[in-house]
Amino acid sequence: MIKYSKNFVIGIWSLIKGLAVTIKYCFRPAVTLQYPTQKRPMSDCYRGLVGLHPEKCIVCYQCVKMCPTACLAITHKLEDKKKTLETFKYNMELCCFCGLCEQVCPADAIVMTKIYEISVYDRKKLDINLLDDKKYDEWTHTTIK
Amino acid sequence: MDATQTKEMYTEEFLINMGPQHPSTHGVLSLELKLDGETIRNCTPHIGYLHRSMEKIAENRTFTQFIPFTDRLDYVASMNNNLGYVMAVEKLLNLEISERAKYIRVIIAELNRIASHLIATGTFAQDLGAFATPLFYCFREREKIVEIFDQICGNRLTYNYMRIGGVLADLSGEIIEKIKEFIEYMRPKVDDYDELITYNVIFLARSKHIGVLSKEMAINYSVTGPNLRGSGVKWDLRKDEPYLVYDKLEFDIPVGENGDAWDRYKVRIEEMRQSLRIIEQAIESLPQGEVTVRVGRILKPSASETYFRTENPRGELGFYIVGDGSVYPYRLKIRSPSFSNLAVLPELVKGIKVADIVCVLGSFDVLMGEIDR
Ligand code: SF4
Ligand code: SF4
């Protein structure tokens, strides 16, 4: 009985000690964000979906060779001995957002955008044509500038 | 039935499957438990639910291309995995990196160690019934580290920051300020955990003398990391086989006494304090200079083999790489700490109550990503 009450008192005491820590934080401003309405701004080098400046691309195929998951595919055509892009496909399903393509590109043509809320209902939407200007219209609202 | 025949009472052992979908198995681990009432008679872990053939994938990737895959081994401590891998490749290439890059690597690796131990602490407390509060406190602190990582490399979980020959980006003055702020912020928080969790009587009652791992058994099963040190063996690669600049920095190796669940937990808490010390010193003596040495875009190590091990938050992470003179490794073997740490679990849980298995497993802080690879 004595042991029981002793344990009881010790238990209550350590509960109070623990509660002191929690109460301390009760009166400090909350650190959580209410997510869909509040969003954290992305850092400058944030790696979201892959984007492209087609006019800068020199069709060197470095990004395709570097991509570890083989999600980029390019075809080109020759116009008076100058390579121009024909298609630039990006299979977002495979992308692991590693940023190696952006790093290796000699012309800064391929970039990582800040779009990160990228769930879709239709799987076909994951196959993205990077040459299309309106490709990310659906998702741009997820980005904080 | 003959009315005179006496019906014999008998008991039998029964089998339950804990996991793979179980909140306290920390991933997709399945434990086949043979129970005698509440007591565990036998435990067989089944692994492989998260198997992604990392080692085979490595054989078809160039050395740089494999770095993002190492992020996914131990996804709680991606930076340390990156580090282990790139250092193994650098050893294969006989590459010496710049002094500044070495210090940056130490700072980043120790930050990630803190983040990883925070998750271990939080989930362990949650497993023992301290519902949500400690876990969220730990995540609040981890968020600061993740934010720093987000600013230096652009991702919050799979960093892909270390590069063969250096690191992806230099630490700017702003980020160094942030890290300094974090050290100041974190110190009192670790004391808070002591108040809130470590010396709480309920926590002590649940974790003291549970899952005692003896020194001999720990060594025989090649348990490493905080679990080994919890059993009182002073073995830390950062001290005993120093790499990078750990030999120039001052820090202690905390060890436990009894090797029970509480000791393993306590070692992690102390290691957080030591990591803060390391970061502070490394920032003090951060030299100026380049962060990357130029290596060619195509890396072709000569036909040779190498093994390199580093101290991960969970133990000893080793990479064994065989090069055959081409751009791909001929073979890459990963020695992951959690795999050996999990192997000792069946020995420890025999004879204890079923409710305590969560405590033992939580104190081991195993991570399925690197067990299954
Ligand atoms: S981010 Fe990585 S995975 Fe995605 S396209 Fe670029 S290189 Fe490929
Ligand atoms: S690396 Fe850059 S320039 Fe070369 S093909 Fe890719 S996007 Fe174009």
Side-chain angles (χ1 to χ4, degrees):
Chain A
M1 186 64 201
I2 292 172
K3 195 174 167 222
Y4 179 80
S5 23
K6 198 177 142 205
N7 278 350
F8 188 76
V9 172
I10 295 177
I12 295 280
W13 173 238
S14 89
L15 203 66
I16 291 172
K17 255 175 83 177
L19 276 178
V21 177
T22 29
I23 288 170
K24 190 168 83 188
Y25 290 113
C26 246
F27 298 102
R28 301 213 179 150
V31 289
T32 40
L33 286 178
Q34 302 302 322
Y35 164 59
T37 45
Q38 288 176 312
K39 284 176 193 172
R40 203 181 272 290
M42 296 292 104
S43 61
D44 292 337
C45 53
Y46 186 79
R47 303 203 298 254
L49 282 180
V50 168
L52 182 76
H53 302 295
E55 69 288 351
K56 286 191 192 163
C57 179
I58 53 169
V59 204
C60 64
Y61 284 86
Q62 287 294 341
C63 51
V64 180
K65 279 183 202 147
M66 193 49 148
C67 180
T69 55
C71 54
L72 298 171
I74 307 183
T75 55
H76 70 271
K77 54 178 182 273
L78 275 176
E79 265 173 22
D80 17 295
K81 288 188 184 158
K82 197 168 167 278
K83 281 187 193 168
T84 46
L85 277 177
E86 200 164 41
T87 62
F88 204 133
K89 281 269 164 33
Y90 165 50
N91 188 354
M92 187 243 276
E93 209 174 349
L94 296 178
C95 181
C96 63
F97 305 103
C98 62
L100 287 176
C101 51
E102 183 191 36
Q103 209 199 337
V104 85
C105 178
D108 292 335
I110 196 159
V111 290
M112 308 295 286
T113 63
K114 295 187 174 42
I115 302 169
Y116 63 96
E117 292 166 315
I118 47 178
S119 327
V120 285
Y121 283 107
D122 186 1
R123 202 169 193 169
K124 284 195 199 94
K125 284 189 183 159
L126 299 175
D127 224 345
I128 294 166
N129 176 12
L130 283 182
L131 296 179
D132 181 3
D133 288 340
K134 300 195 184 69
K135 55 186 181 288
Y136 293 144
D137 279 4
E138 192 180 347
W139 293 313
T140 40
H141 66 278
T142 65
T143 312
I144 286 190
K145 289 182 187 78
Chain B
M1 192 196 274
D2 191 356
T4 56
Q5 195 178 335
T6 48
K7 204 176 152 207
E8 250 185 76
M9 290 278 286
Y10 71 98
T11 59
E12 66 176 25
E13 292 182 337
F14 73 103
L15 206 77
I16 61 164
N17 284 302
M18 183 175 163
Q21 281 87 26
H22 190 282
S24 22
T25 55
H26 296 223
V28 278
L29 169 68
S30 164
L31 296 172
E32 194 184 302
L33 302 176
K34 207 173 252 174
L35 299 183
D36 177 6
E38 283 260 318
T39 315
I40 297 165
R41 286 278 167 256
N42 203 359
C43 162
T44 319
H46 292 288
I47 59 171
Y49 291 92
L50 207 61
H51 184 68
R52 291 147 296 168
S53 324
M54 286 288 190
E55 292 176 5
K56 194 69 196 167
I57 286 175
E59 291 169 22
N60 303 306
R61 297 288 186 280
T62 61
F63 289 96
T64 314
Q65 276 181 338
F66 190 63
I67 302 173
F69 289 90
T70 59
D71 285 332
R72 277 114 183 129
L73 287 174
D74 174 354
Y75 36 79
V76 176
S78 294
M79 289 289 191
N80 299 69
N81 286 278
N82 279 184
L83 178 70
Y85 173 68
V86 296
M87 289 199 64
V89 178
E90 279 159 10
K91 193 177 165 197
L92 190 69
L93 292 165
N94 282 328
L95 198 68
E96 187 62 31
I97 64 165
S98 74
E99 204 61 11
R100 185 173 170 88
K102 282 183 189 170
Y103 275 92
I104 290 179
R105 281 181 177 185
V106 167
I107 294 168
I108 298 301
E110 291 306 316
L111 275 176
N112 209 161
R113 189 184 308 277
I114 296 174
S116 165
H117 284 347
L118 279 171
I119 290 199
T121 309
T123 48
F124 184 45
Q126 165 134 343
D127 286 349
L128 294 190
F131 195 71
T133 311
L135 180 68
F136 281 100
Y137 281 180
C138 292
F139 268 82
R140 176 190 61 194
E141 270 76 88
R142 178 176 172 271
E143 178 66 28
K144 301 255 174 206
I145 302 177
V146 169
E147 238 172 66
I148 293 171
F149 287 169
D150 185 15
Q151 286 189 350
I152 59 175
C153 68
N155 247 359
R156 291 168 53 89
L157 190 69
T158 47
Y159 309 114
N160 189 17
Y161 177 67
M162 306 285 172
R163 284 288 181 274
I164 296 159
V167 291
L168 172 67
D170 199 358
L171 297 187
S172 64
E174 187 193 344
I175 288 171
I176 288 176
E177 279 311 308
K178 256 196 149 170
I179 297 174
K180 279 183 188 160
E181 261 170 45
F182 172 76
I183 297 171
E184 292 311 312
Y185 169 86
M186 189 65 202
R187 284 233 161 87
K189 296 289 188 261
V190 185
D191 299 336
D192 271 359
Y193 297 148
D194 273 350
E195 294 263 300
L196 187 65
I197 318 171
T198 316
Y199 297 108
N200 182 300
V201 281
I202 304 166
F203 185 79
L204 283 171
R206 288 243 19 216
S207 59
K208 270 269 179 197
H209 310 301
I210 301 288
V212 177
L213 175 66
S214 68
K215 252 184 204 180
E216 293 72 34
M217 199 196 272
I219 292 169
N220 286 346
Y221 275 86
S222 67
V223 171
T224 46
N227 303 328
L228 175 71
R229 294 191 281 277
S231 300
V233 185
K234 209 167 183 173
W235 174 258
D236 189 319
L237 287 177
R238 290 173 294 169
K239 267 272 196 267
D240 296 305
E241 224 173 69
Y243 50 96
L244 293 174
V245 288
Y246 280 114
D247 46 351
K248 292 181 199 159
L249 304 170
E250 228 174 79
F251 59 100
D252 301 326
I253 311 282
V255 287
E257 284 161 19
N258 311 316
D260 52 19
W262 189 81
D263 274 347
R264 290 191 280 276
Y265 160 85
K266 184 78 172 112
V267 166
R268 291 204 177 86
I269 291 279
E270 289 302 324
E271 270 188 18
M272 281 197 239
R273 294 204 172 97
Q274 297 305 325
S275 291
L276 287 174
R277 258 179 83 189
I278 296 177
I279 300 169
E280 202 169 35
Q281 292 170 43
I283 285 192
E284 283 296 310
S285 42
L286 185 67
Q288 293 298 326
E290 288 290 310
V291 291
T292 39
V293 291
R294 282 206 67 79
V295 288
R297 190 161 280 169
I298 296 163
L299 293 173
K300 259 193 195 171
S302 56
S304 57
E305 57 182 51
T306 186
Y307 180 75
F308 193 81
R309 50 185 187 171
T310 52
E311 187 73 30
N312 221 34
R314 280 169 189 74
E316 210 173 290
L317 175 77
F319 282 92
Y320 173 62
I321 307 177
V322 183
D324 60 355
S326 73
V327 290
Y328 305 119
Y330 175 74
R331 172 86 172 94
L332 191 143
K333 164 87 180 80
I334 304 161
R335 187 257 185 235
S336 63
S338 292
F339 186 79
S340 323
N341 293 353
L342 182 70
V344 77
L345 181 80
E347 296 282 338
L348 294 191
V349 298
K350 265 176 212 157
I352 66 170
K353 297 277 186 264
V354 72
D356 286 335
I357 193 168
V358 176
C359 167
V360 179
L361 189 63
S363 73
F364 265 94
D365 185 28
V366 291
L367 206 128
M368 296 317 288
E370 68 176 359
I371 293 175
D372 293 339
R373 306 195 274 280

